[in-house]
Amino acid sequence: MDRRLAAYAVCIEDDRVLLAPAAGPDGDRTWTLPGGGVEHAENPYDAVREVAEETGLAAVVERLLGVDSRVVPASERRVPGSPELQNVGVFYRVRVTGGRLRPEPNGDTAESVWTPLSEAVRLRRSSLVDIGIALTQSLPPTGHVDPVPVGGLVQH
């Protein structure tokens, strides 16, 4: 089994959520939260640097929202022949403090967008979006939300 530790920024302002586009190997765009893999020896809290890298916006962590752990079966991995993947995601609520939206320089992220929460549910999106929004809205004391089912518009 592969394992991946990642940190994600949930930024909601004026009933809009900041979403970043991710292109799959087939070229399809899936909307996700700014964030990504925690580098070797990096504290997940510090991985919120990805907001600035991916979007051009400076952000600060306001609070830890929670942790999601899910196993992606080998049959659902993007690269055929890969083993199953345990993805552990640490979610933080962040506040934008400056900067301007722009694409990630020399990176994988095209220009991010502020999306009304009411419209986010109609987008082809990563399950991370639903998890982050659920954590922000419910602020569960344990930092845990029920698993988000994948399928249709919601992708791994």
Side-chain angles (χ1 to χ4, degrees):
M1 173 186 286
D2 288 342
R3 282 199 183 90
R4 180 172 189 261
L5 175 61
Y8 301 102
V10 183
C11 185
I12 297 176
E13 293 182 0
D14 302 322
D15 289 322
R16 300 175 306 156
V17 62
L18 182 62
L19 297 179
D26 55 4
D28 286 344
R29 184 191 311 220
T30 301
W31 292 97
T32 190
L33 297 172
V38 175
E39 295 178 1
H40 178 74
E42 183 179 32
N43 186 311
Y45 179 91
D46 297 328
V48 174
R49 65 176 161 65
E50 294 267 4
V51 174
E53 291 174 13
E54 292 180 359
T55 71
L57 299 175
V60 295
V61 172
E62 290 189 321
R63 68 169 288 155
L64 173 67
L65 291 170
V67 176
D68 177 70
S69 177
R70 65 183 49 233
V71 174
V72 179
S75 62
E76 296 178 24
R77 296 281 308 267
R78 290 183 177 187
V79 178
S82 297
E84 66 183 3
L85 168 70
Q86 179 185 16
N87 190 41
V88 178
V90 182
F91 292 77
Y92 294 97
R93 182 173 66 201
V94 303
R95 179 175 42 85
V96 171
T97 58
R100 267 189 5 204
L101 278 178
R102 53 116 179 99
E104 182 178 16
N106 303 316
D108 297 329
T109 306
E111 193 159 340
S112 299
V113 296
W114 287 99
T115 304
L117 287 168
S118 60
E119 292 178 23
V121 297
R122 292 191 287 268
L123 299 174
R124 185 173 194 259
R125 64 199 182 279
S126 166
S127 58
L128 302 170
V129 173
D130 292 45
I131 295 163
I133 290 171
L135 285 167
T136 300
Q137 292 175 338
S138 62
L139 294 176
T142 61
H144 179 76
V145 293
D146 290 332
V148 170
V150 175
L153 293 175
V154 181
Q155 310 293 306
H156 280 297

